Amino acid sequence: MTEEYRGRKKKLILLSSVLVALIVFGVAGFLSIHNTPRYSLYWFKKAILEHNAESALKYLDIDSIVDNMVKDIFDKPEQQKVTSKNQPETSMKSIGKDIVMQNLPTMKKQLREQLESAIISYNDQAALDNLSKASVLGLVITMEGDLALVKIRGKDTVAFTMAKSPEGRWKIVAFNLKELIAPGRK
């Protein structure tokens, strides 16, 4: 009877050890995945599919997106600034930039409202089916500190940029509109 008791005790200790190891590895795995851009993108996709605008907007930094779009539109590389000799065109662009900068807070608010409305009411079933089939594993994510450059697998150009927020989730902060609107074009 003592031999049988020892055998049961060893099995119980072994089973308990395996169970504890599985729990530790599971918790460690969850914590390491929980703070990744891929995890945030998964929840962003899920919120869109569920038409949950409040949750989806947690993964978009509207202010940064708009600021980066304005920067992309109005800021020229230094090489182009030097070669631009057409003064009226330059001053018109400067005036346009000033007007946009003055209206930036209103534009950000309107964009947020439009996105909320679009997420809630979007009903293109074919697009939603494609999104539900899409996998966040099909993205190539390159980490650069608290920034993540996200490419679509098979493409060379960054589609969008994410940044880690103070809350720990990753948010989309910039889009490469040239890549997303006209993929593959230079």
Side-chain angles (χ1 to χ4, degrees):
M1 187 103 132
T2 59
E3 192 70 33
E4 186 179 323
Y5 176 74
R6 286 183 191 157
R8 285 185 186 174
K9 188 175 179 181
K10 284 183 183 181
K11 286 181 184 179
L12 184 62
I13 290 172
L14 180 63
L15 184 62
S16 298
S17 299
V18 169
L19 187 60
V20 167
L22 285 174
I23 291 171
V24 168
F25 284 123
V27 169
F30 173 76
L31 291 176
S32 65
I33 290 171
H34 180 71
N35 291 320
T36 64
R38 201 173 304 277
Y39 186 79
S40 291
L41 287 170
Y42 167 78
W43 286 105
F44 176 61
K45 172 186 153 183
K46 186 172 168 56
I48 289 174
L49 290 172
E50 294 174 351
H51 300 282
N52 186 341
E54 184 179 334
S55 292
L57 292 177
K58 289 179 182 178
Y59 300 98
L60 291 174
D61 186 344
I62 304 292
D63 293 343
S64 294
I65 291 170
V66 171
D67 291 341
N68 285 318
M69 283 180 167
V70 168
K71 183 178 145 201
D72 287 347
I73 291 169
F74 289 107
D75 289 350
K76 291 184 178 179
E78 289 301 318
Q79 185 183 41
Q80 288 179 344
K81 286 182 182 177
V82 172
T83 59
S84 178
K85 295 179 182 177
N86 191 348
Q87 205 62 345
E89 183 181 320
T90 304
S91 57
M92 287 303 286
K93 286 185 180 180
S94 177
I95 291 170
K97 183 178 181 178
D98 290 343
I99 291 170
V100 169
M101 296 306 281
Q102 289 174 352
N103 292 305
L104 214 50
T106 305
M107 291 169 54
K108 290 175 182 177
K109 181 181 178 198
Q110 287 176 342
L111 180 60
R112 180 177 310 283
E113 291 169 356
Q114 290 294 320
L115 282 171
E116 285 176 0
S117 175
I119 291 168
I120 291 169
S121 65
Y122 193 72
N123 63 359
D124 182 352
Q125 198 56 45
L128 291 172
D129 288 344
N130 285 338
L131 180 61
S132 70
K133 292 175 190 172
S135 171
V136 294
L137 300 175
L139 300 171
V140 177
I141 300 174
T142 307
M143 303 290 290
E144 293 181 357
D146 281 348
L147 282 179
L149 306 175
V150 182
K151 297 178 185 177
I152 299 168
R153 194 171 303 280
K155 308 274 181 168
D156 293 336
T157 311
V158 172
F160 55 92
T161 305
M162 298 179 79
K164 191 167 189 175
S165 68
E167 306 92 44
R169 81 176 55 95
W170 288 80
K171 294 183 175 190
I172 297 172
V173 294
F175 287 104
N176 180 353
L177 294 179
K178 292 175 189 168
E179 179 63 21
L180 293 173
I181 292 173
R185 288 190 186 166
K186 298 274 178 181

